[in-house]
Amino acid sequence: MKKPDPRTLTAIPPVVTFATGADLLVRLGLAKNMTREGVRRLSKHPEWPFGPDRPYPYWPLANAEVMETGPFLDFFRNHPIVGRGPDKDPGGRRSKASAQQ
């Protein structure tokens, strides 16, 4: 397996995908944890800056769509991530009443 260039672990890239954007948010401390699916979910926000009829386009690159990093980070700085985070009980929660039955 090819070893990653160490510069890519610290530098801010000019564009990000949903996956690399999620990694960048964690690296910069804008999120405790984030996945590409989390970024996709947040892209439904009414003020999301990317897409048709939005200020910034998604750019096709290879088999992915990329976003300019500046507006991507600005969105998350202006809309801090608040939420319950990952599911702490993946088995599902049961109420005490249903557990006693």
Side-chain angles (χ1 to χ4, degrees):
M1 182 169 171
K2 187 177 176 181
K3 216 174 171 185
D5 186 322
R7 294 173 294 183
T8 64
L9 303 176
T10 56
I12 304 291
V15 295
V16 293
T17 63
F18 286 100
T20 61
D23 292 341
L24 184 61
L25 291 172
V26 172
R27 183 164 51 99
L28 295 177
L30 294 172
K32 283 187 178 183
N33 52 39
M34 179 62 66
T35 64
R36 66 183 171 87
E37 291 306 317
V39 175
R40 282 192 189 283
R41 205 171 311 115
L42 291 166
S43 73
K44 305 296 183 219
H45 189 282
E47 294 180 36
W48 182 251
F50 298 98
D53 301 324
R54 302 289 175 116
Y56 301 95
Y58 289 112
W59 295 93
L61 181 65
N63 290 331
E65 288 184 324
V66 297
M67 301 164 274
E68 296 173 51
T69 305
F72 178 83
L73 292 176
D74 288 344
F75 174 81
F76 285 98
R77 287 184 181 122
N78 294 327
H79 301 88
I81 298 167
V82 292
R84 68 174 190 81
D87 191 358
K88 305 243 186 302
D89 183 13
R93 299 198 185 275
R94 294 174 34 183
S95 70
K96 285 185 180 181
S98 65
Q100 292 173 354
Q101 293 178 0

